[in-house]
Amino acid sequence: GAGVSQSPRYKVAKRGQDVALRCDPISGHVSLFWYQQALGQGPEFLTYFQNEAQLDKSGLPSDRFFAERPEGSVSTLKIQRTQQEDSAVYLCASSLGVGVGAEAFFGQGTRLTVV
Amino acid sequence: SQELEQSPQSLIVQEGKNLTINCTSSKTLYGLYWYKQKYGEGLIFLMMLQKGGEEKSHEKITAKLDEKKQQSSLHITASQPSHAGIYLCGAAPSGNQFYFGTGTSLTVIP
């Protein structure tokens, strides 16, 4: 596709439910980032992939959060046993080069609401 | 970790007025990025500044990076309703992380 695509756009989960959020980066982009954006806040870094390798996962808030990018393209962010504090917009970005810069393109995000 | 603080947090201006948004870093910036975000949408890249004293413009938006490279300002001339949104500054990574500022919400009243 022409841009970064995220699905679903909206997700409502019951507390304790597991969710999976998908990111389709721009074809050929090496770098992929996940961010969590709470209401009224700036995006907070979660994790970074260079191709299929997860090089930085220091931003994942707990071991309930897990991300993968097995073939170096599509990425999935999984949240187990969701809690209300997990409610946020989850943004994915991809970049042709290494790291984030002028080349970074963001998806529209997945808005997760945990009830 | 890099911390970026933006001011003001929110801004309401009349259409046609000029405005400035500031981004201050706790550390020297080796690259400063400005993004715009509309509600419910992803981030749109505006511009990147790397050199101290650098200034860039795009249409009616001008951004500067000060000589000491710890502060950037985004200036909008003759604001329009289309300028409304959240403006975020971001810092180039040391390592793999990319930090965003706290954000400035801009409302332009027609």
Side-chain angles (χ1 to χ4, degrees):
Chain A
V4 178
S5 178
Q6 291 186 245
S7 60
R9 284 293 311 277
Y10 304 94
K11 175 70 180 177
V12 178
K14 289 186 178 178
R15 190 169 54 183
Q17 188 179 350
D18 296 350
V19 298
L21 312 180
R22 178 186 169 107
C23 174
D24 281 84
I26 294 173
S27 178
H29 276 197
V30 170
S31 296
L32 187 145
F33 299 78
W34 283 99
Y35 290 86
Q36 180 191 57
Q37 186 174 23
L39 188 65
Q41 304 290 321
E44 296 282 343
F45 171 83
L46 292 177
T47 187
Y48 164 67
F49 288 87
Q50 186 176 323
N51 295 310
E52 69 279 1
Q54 188 174 22
L55 298 187
D56 190 338
K57 55 181 180 179
S58 61
L60 296 176
S62 77
D63 59 8
R64 296 186 295 103
F65 286 71
F66 172 76
E68 60 182 4
R69 194 186 184 197
E71 297 178 0
S73 178
V74 172
S75 177
T76 304
L77 177 67
K78 297 179 180 178
I79 308 173
Q80 296 177 322
R81 304 181 303 281
T82 52
Q83 304 293 317
Q84 284 193 317
E85 62 262 27
D86 300 336
S87 296
V89 174
Y90 291 85
L91 293 167
C92 173
S94 73
S95 174
L96 183 62
V98 175
V100 176
E103 309 91 354
F105 296 87
F106 282 80
Q108 292 188 309
T110 293
R111 181 176 295 278
L112 172 66
T113 303
V114 181
V115 297
Chain B
S1 64
Q2 184 109 44
E3 289 193 3
L4 298 172
E5 190 162 333
Q6 288 183 234
S7 63
Q9 271 193 320
S10 65
L11 202 50
I12 302 173
V13 300
Q14 202 76 38
E15 183 177 359
K17 295 292 185 184
N18 302 337
L19 63 106
T20 299
I21 298 168
N22 294 303
C23 174
T24 302
S25 171
S26 59
K27 298 182 179 180
T28 299
L29 295 164
Y30 293 100
L32 189 286
Y33 304 80
W34 283 100
Y35 286 87
K36 180 184 174 185
Q37 185 178 33
K38 292 221 171 212
Y39 181 76
E41 298 182 13
L43 279 65
I44 300 168
F45 171 78
L46 295 176
M47 56 192 86
M48 176 183 72
L49 304 163
Q50 285 187 302
K51 299 176 185 176
E54 186 174 9
E55 179 175 323
K56 286 188 177 178
S57 292
H58 175 68
E59 297 180 345
K60 293 184 179 179
I61 301 176
T62 300
K64 299 179 187 179
L65 182 62
D66 76 356
E67 291 288 344
K68 294 182 180 178
K69 296 171 69 177
Q70 284 197 260
Q71 187 171 43
S72 178
S73 60
L74 184 86
H75 185 77
I76 300 177
T77 304
S79 58
Q80 300 169 355
S82 60
H83 287 129
I86 299 171
Y87 289 81
L88 292 156
C89 61
S94 56
N96 299 315
Q97 294 196 20
F98 182 83
Y99 295 92
F100 284 96
T102 47
T104 296
S105 174
L106 173 63
T107 303
V108 180
I109 301 172

